[in-house]
Amino acid sequence: MTDDASDTLAAALLGRFTANSRDHAFICMDPRGTVVTWNEGAARVFGYAPQEAIGRNLAFLFTDDDLARGQHRYELLLAARDTRSEDDRWHLRKDGMRIWVTGTVEAIRDGAGGLLGFVKVARDRTDLRAQVERYEQASEHSRSFFRTLGHELGNALFPLNNVAALIRRSPAGGHLTAALALLDNQVAVLAGLADDLANVERLERGTLALKPVCADLREAVANGVRAVEETARERQVRLEAFPPEAPIEVEIDPPRFQQVMLNLLGNAVKYTPPGGTVYVKITQEGHEALVRVEDTGIGIAPDMLPRIFELFTRATAAAEMEPSGLGVGLNIVKQIVELHGGTVQARSAGSGQGAEFTVRLPALPPPAARSGTAARHGP
Ligand code: ADP
């Protein structure tokens, strides 16, 4: 086929497609927004026949709220400025029904850059919008559930702590050391859960703000390692850290980063049977600082790996080994690391093959090469 013939064919196909498409509204407008063509799809989506729409300004499809905000003009202004404007909004059908329409408005220019007019391509996605609203409602419910559960747990823990302190000070306290230690342990587990729930809720709402300072990654990781040493010893899991000799400076919010380390190291210790080892490696690769937590534990099956950072995801083997987990820790890790401008990745060769979690953060340039902002955050 010659170039001319394929151009003619393409034009014919496109012409028929736009004229006959039943799902897509194709609306051509002049530079002032007056409708000049109105296809079958536009008639189906908006309920107006071509003769009722052609010659009118497209404003007649907009809701009163959007008209008051000038959205009908803004859509065209934006398209004229940026070539196209995304258009996901409520529109009005002829029968008065509101429909959720998604699409774009493109500005069409001649060879010399003069504005010829606009083409709006749109679809009725009221169904999709309803799904999104149901999803938003469901996640608002779970957020408020987390909030309440977190508060209730916190409220219940406060008197428990007081009672433990009272017993400890009483004459009977001396005989109850083991029972008090158990109580302390379980209270700490519940306090951790309450904290996790509060964090999930804050992260979901986007209200967890970081207070970043410039820190040596080696020290930040060492703090995490220290915090799980005792548990590792109790579980007979060896913990080996390999910090580099030179500092690696990063911008982190120390308590939040500690949370990341506690989750990753805690999991590594938790999911490694006695006799196993957890390795913690810190390196710098170009502009990235890396913390890798590797273990010789139960590993992660390939079908679980892609979902491992999702809320409430727990592998069966892990749940059997540690029935009390909620499956929220890794989700928190991912969100906190991402708030730091970093990434976290999980790898495992499969069940029983150990697991490896790598956190990558932007590394700060050496102090001498650094200018201004980051250095000023320093403690
Ligand atoms: P939890 O540990 O409370 O279940 P997390 O969100 O921290 O919640 O972890 C989610 C799941 O990821 C765990 O239940 C387990 O299946 C898997 N997992 C996390 N870390 C490891 C690890 N080091 N080795 C094997 N599985 C892991």
Side-chain angles (χ1 to χ4, degrees):
M1 207 184 285
T2 62
D3 281 357
D4 278 356
S6 44
D7 281 356
T8 316
L9 177 61
L13 289 174
L14 213 58
R16 281 183 180 268
F17 173 65
T18 52
N20 299 334
S21 171
R22 293 165 69 82
D23 293 331
H24 289 90
F26 286 95
I27 303 166
C28 297
M29 289 167 274
D30 70 10
R32 299 167 60 89
T34 306
V35 175
V36 291
T37 72
W38 187 261
N39 76 333
E40 168 79 17
R44 276 173 61 91
V45 170
F46 296 106
Y48 292 91
Q51 63 275 19
E52 294 173 299
I54 291 172
R56 293 173 75 180
N57 189 287
L58 202 68
F60 72 96
L61 295 181
F62 285 72
T63 61
D64 286 346
D65 283 352
D66 278 352
L67 285 176
R69 280 198 292 264
Q71 289 292 354
H72 55 306
R73 280 191 302 272
Y74 185 63
E75 190 173 276
L76 300 186
L77 271 175
L78 210 65
R81 197 192 67 190
D82 302 339
T83 313
R84 73 202 293 259
S85 85
E86 298 286 335
D87 173 36
D88 294 350
R89 66 175 84 257
W90 291 107
H91 273 308
L92 286 179
R93 276 177 54 89
K94 185 183 174 189
D95 57 15
M97 229 171 80
R98 278 157 58 98
I99 50 173
W100 181 258
V101 173
T102 67
T104 57
V105 175
E106 299 247 354
I108 312 293
R109 296 185 179 276
D110 61 20
L115 183 63
L116 291 175
F118 299 95
V119 179
K120 183 181 176 92
V121 183
R123 283 190 78 179
D124 175 358
R125 297 315 314 263
T126 312
D127 53 339
L128 200 71
R129 180 69 195 169
Q131 266 177 29
V132 170
E133 278 176 4
R134 272 199 299 277
Y135 170 77
E136 281 172 357
Q137 231 167 38
S139 57
E140 179 47 40
H141 280 153
S142 58
R143 273 200 294 271
S144 89
F145 173 71
F146 290 149
R147 200 167 34 234
T148 315
L149 195 60
H151 282 158
E152 292 302 321
L153 267 176
N155 289 345
L157 288 174
F158 188 67
L160 272 182
N161 268 327
N162 283 345
V163 168
L166 275 178
I167 300 176
R168 199 169 278 120
R169 283 201 300 269
S170 77
H175 307 293
L176 294 171
T177 321
L180 284 169
L182 188 82
L183 185 64
D184 283 346
N185 243 323
Q186 293 308 301
V187 165
V189 170
L190 290 177
L193 284 182
D195 213 39
D196 275 356
L197 288 172
N199 278 319
V200 168
E201 201 261 332
R202 262 181 255 144
L203 284 163
E204 292 250 307
R205 266 193 304 148
T207 57
L208 194 128
L210 294 186
K211 295 196 188 86
V213 297
C214 170
D216 182 353
L217 188 59
R218 297 175 310 169
E219 278 168 31
V221 174
N223 287 339
V225 171
R226 263 193 297 279
V228 296
E229 259 167 5
E230 179 61 28
T231 318
R233 229 190 330 271
E234 280 168 11
R235 293 179 166 249
Q236 295 163 38
V237 172
R238 260 206 334 269
L239 195 52
E240 291 189 13
F242 300 91
E245 278 182 14
I248 298 181
E249 297 214 316
V250 284
E251 263 202 333
I252 52 169
D253 177 327
R256 299 292 164 217
F257 186 74
Q258 173 81 342
Q259 224 177 331
V260 168
M261 290 318 302
L262 286 185
N263 262 306
L264 294 182
L265 292 166
N267 279 346
V269 169
K270 202 160 71 168
Y271 298 122
T272 300
T277 310
V278 172
Y279 303 96
V280 189
K281 299 172 182 166
I282 308 164
T283 51
Q284 178 156 1
E285 288 177 10
H287 299 303
E288 284 184 329
L290 273 68
V291 183
R292 186 163 287 142
V293 178
E294 284 173 41
D295 64 59
T296 58
I298 62 170
I300 302 167
D303 62 321
M304 285 301 292
L305 262 183
R307 295 190 286 127
I308 209 72
F309 292 99
E310 286 172 19
L311 265 185
F312 309 124
T313 301
R314 302 203 73 206
T316 318
E320 279 166 7
M321 194 170 175
E322 278 296 325
S324 67
L326 268 187
V328 300
L330 285 185
N331 182 268
I332 293 177
V333 164
K334 183 169 188 292
Q335 298 205 56
I336 293 182
V337 170
E338 287 175 359
L339 278 178
H340 280 86
T343 60
V344 56
Q345 192 188 24
R347 281 170 49 172
S348 171
S351 298
Q353 310 280 312
E356 178 187 307
F357 288 82
T358 307
V359 173
R360 290 166 192 272
L361 295 174
L364 291 174
R370 218 180 295 153
S371 63
T373 53
R376 262 187 269 120
H377 285 302

